[in-house]
Amino acid sequence: MTKLCAALAAALLGLSLWQGIVLLTGVPAFILPPPWRVAQTAWENRALIGENAIVTATEIALGLAFGTGLGVCTAILMAASNRLHNLAMPMLIFTQSIPVFALAPILTLWLGYGLASKVMMAVLIIYFPVTSAFYDGLTRIPRDLTDLAQTMGGTKWQIMRHIRIPHARPALGTGLKLAAVSAPIGAVIGEWVGASKGLGYLMLLANGRAKTDLMFASLLTLTLMTITLYFAVSKLATWLARN
């Protein structure tokens, strides 16, 4: 409840500053529309915004699911094998050295303008933080626990299942929270490069037609989606840390 009140207070403060800037500077509405006008546009175009929001939400959800699954499997395999870690870690770092903006046109060319290229963009952004955080958790286990398990005859995969993975769940939660705020970036960048639906596409369309209020309404919708996703993942992270 305290976090919700703090979030509402921050939102009210942001809206007040926004309205204050509009009033004090007299900036034209086509450059910076006032909050009430954005809210009115959002209501009038709620069907259009909702339709495109569902597309973006689907891309984000699929990207988060696939990216998390792939990251968890990679982290477990790297923690189980030093040889695999030495091979995979440089490749992971290399993939993060390439700007995601540069990959978007290539993925669109390979996978087309549909859902697949946007999901893959989200996966690429999510994959590294989940893998890195979970791997750190898997490798930061008290040495005496693993030594005791080995003394009692535990195999490598039994130790992984019953000791390493349970102890690494809080670290996985941290990686998931980072992924939750990063996933929308990949989906929207993919929509900017090439799409016929989605909030990113709608923002570009509104910008090209000088409908700044619709662009802001789409942006705020994306922001609310991201915040909602973050709080949902935070709840999941708390559950993982306790169980």
Side-chain angles (χ1 to χ4, degrees):
M1 194 67 180
T2 304
K3 291 183 178 180
L4 179 60
C5 292
L8 291 175
L12 289 175
L13 178 60
L15 291 174
S16 300
L17 291 174
W18 181 359
Q19 183 64 46
I21 291 172
V22 172
L23 292 175
L24 291 175
T25 61
V27 62
F30 69 88
I31 296 179
L32 182 62
W36 64 266
R37 183 165 176 173
V38 173
Q40 181 183 9
T41 301
W43 176 253
E44 293 173 351
N45 295 274
R46 59 189 181 277
L48 176 64
I49 294 174
E51 178 186 354
N52 287 277
I54 290 173
V55 174
T56 302
T58 302
E59 295 165 354
I60 294 171
L62 290 175
L64 191 61
F66 286 120
T68 299
L70 187 60
V72 167
C73 292
T74 303
I76 291 174
L77 291 174
M78 288 197 305
S81 171
N82 289 329
R83 185 173 299 177
L84 181 60
H85 167 263
N86 294 333
L87 177 65
M89 186 55 73
M91 296 176 62
L92 286 173
I93 296 173
F94 174 75
T95 60
Q96 295 304 300
S97 66
I98 304 174
V100 69
F101 290 95
L103 292 174
I106 299 174
L107 291 176
T108 302
L109 177 65
W110 288 348
L111 302 175
Y113 290 89
L115 192 68
S117 58
K118 286 70 179 176
V119 172
M120 183 57 68
M121 284 291 297
V123 168
L124 289 177
I125 291 180
I126 292 165
Y127 178 57
F128 184 78
V130 172
T131 304
S132 180
F134 194 38
Y135 174 78
D136 284 344
L138 290 171
T139 54
R140 296 179 184 273
I141 306 299
R143 184 69 181 178
D144 55 346
L145 286 179
T146 56
D147 289 343
L148 178 60
Q150 290 173 350
T151 302
M152 297 178 67
T155 65
K156 179 186 295 186
W157 291 108
Q158 286 176 331
I159 294 172
M160 179 68 71
R161 179 183 176 183
H162 296 290
I163 297 178
R164 286 191 166 191
I165 291 178
H167 277 77
R169 284 176 182 171
L172 175 60
T174 300
L176 288 175
K177 287 191 285 186
L178 292 173
V181 296
S182 302
I185 298 174
V188 170
I189 290 174
E191 290 171 355
W192 284 348
V193 172
S196 58
K197 288 184 178 181
L199 290 175
Y201 162 79
L202 186 59
M203 282 188 278
L204 281 182
L205 184 67
N207 184 50
R209 297 181 179 181
K211 294 183 177 181
T212 314
D213 47 357
L214 179 58
M215 184 173 64
F216 270 82
S218 303
L219 179 60
L220 289 178
T221 302
L222 180 64
T223 302
L224 290 174
M225 285 172 51
T226 305
I227 293 173
T228 302
L229 179 62
Y230 176 79
F231 278 108
V233 171
S234 295
K235 291 289 186 182
L236 176 60
T238 302
W239 180 85
L240 286 173
R242 292 176 178 175
N243 293 275

